[in-house]
């Protein structure tokens, strides 16, 4: 039985749920809001999920190279779960476009500390974007796990660039944090 800690493979559990998929899509969409999420949470899409609390915005910006953003929050209804939602490509943001086209293959060694993917290569732009906010993500998750319980479920979502970062985040969760997320 592999619980995500051995580094050899991530378990796949559960059944597909259209309701869960819709909720995660709404959270992905909310990452595109123009307002600072932790100050307002009152745009049309955010109002569809009013139960989200304890929101922490995660973001990094490196001019002419990379911009990554999203949020971590607590949803007492779904799960209950800690939600990690990562923003996708904004076609009007040069840094997002640069991230998307920075497809140089790089070693997958920063996340894969256990050596489960020896020799694997990943898309540099997506990987660097995730790594630029990963510390903020896991600090926020740790705070929420202290507040709501160590075994609180974690859900990871994103669209476009955010989907690529969410994939790295889900693998990081399983390999380095012993968390089997919904994603």
């Amino acid at each position: 039985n592999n619980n995500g800690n051995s580094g050899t493979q991530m378990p796949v559990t559960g059944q597909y749920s259209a309701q869960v998929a819709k909720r995660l899509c709404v959270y992905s969409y909310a990452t595109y809001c123009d307002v600072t999420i932790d100050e307002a949470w009152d745009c049309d899409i955010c109002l569809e999920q009013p139960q989200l609390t304890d929101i922490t915005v995660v973001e990094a910006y490196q001019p002419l190279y990379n911009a990554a953003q999203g949020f971590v929050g607590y949803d007492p209804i779904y799960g209950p779960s800690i939600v990690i939602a990562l923003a996708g490509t904004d076609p009007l943001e040069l840094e997002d476009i640069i991230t998307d086209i920075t497809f140089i293959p790089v070693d997958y060694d920063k996340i894969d500390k256990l050596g489960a993917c020896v020799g694997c290569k990943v898309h540099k732009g997506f990987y660097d974007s995730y790594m630029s906010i990963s510390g903020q993500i896991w600090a926020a998750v740790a705070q929420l796990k202290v507040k709501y319980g160590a075994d609180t479920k974690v859900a990871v979502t994103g669209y476009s660039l955010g989907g690529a970062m969410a994939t790295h985040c889900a693998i990081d969760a399983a390999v380095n944090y012993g968390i089997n997320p919904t994603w």
Side-chain angles (χ1 to χ4, degrees), residues 26-179:
V26 169
Y27 283 137
S28 293
Y29 189 47
T31 64
Y32 288 92
C33 293
D34 289 333
V35 296
T36 303
I37 293 168
D38 60 346
E39 292 177 6
W41 198 252
D42 61 0
C43 69
D44 290 342
I45 197 68
C46 296
L47 291 174
E48 289 187 33
Q49 303 297 327
Q51 73 281 357
L52 193 73
T53 63
D54 296 310
I55 300 164
T56 300
V57 173
V58 295
E59 58 189 342
Y61 178 75
Q62 300 165 330
L64 298 178
Y65 177 65
N66 160 313
Q69 64 184 17
F71 63 84
V72 178
Y74 178 72
D75 184 335
I77 296 172
Y78 161 64
S81 289
I82 295 167
V83 176
I84 302 168
L86 302 168
T89 303
D90 180 339
L92 302 178
E93 294 292 331
L94 179 61
E95 287 76 15
D96 285 356
I97 294 167
I98 291 170
T99 295
D100 286 349
I101 64 172
T102 306
F103 51 83
I104 301 161
V106 295
D107 290 334
Y108 195 53
D109 58 357
K110 293 176 187 168
I111 289 177
D112 187 23
K113 297 173 188 169
L114 299 177
C117 195
V118 175
C120 291
K121 304 282 185 187
V122 294
H123 181 289
K124 179 176 175 48
F126 299 157
Y127 189 58
D128 287 351
S129 286
Y130 170 67
M131 292 305 294
S132 72
I133 59 174
S134 65
Q136 295 172 61
I137 289 170
W138 295 111
V141 168
Q143 288 179 336
L144 292 175
K145 282 194 167 275
V146 166
K147 184 172 183 177
Y148 295 104
D151 40 339
T152 303
K153 295 178 184 177
V154 174
V156 181
T157 188
Y159 172 75
S160 184
L161 167 59
M165 290 191 296
T167 301
H168 286 296
C169 187
I171 294 168
D172 198 9
V175 172
N176 296 311
Y177 294 93
I179 297 169

Side-chain angles (χ1 to χ4, degrees), residues 4-34:
N5 291 325
S6 74
T8 57
Q9 65 179 343
M10 280 190 353
V12 178
T13 59
Q15 297 288 325
Y16 172 78
S17 165
Q19 182 180 8
V20 171
K22 180 181 181 212
R23 185 168 298 217
L24 293 176
C25 284
V26 169
Y27 283 137
S28 293
Y29 189 47
T31 64
Y32 288 92
C33 293
D34 289 333

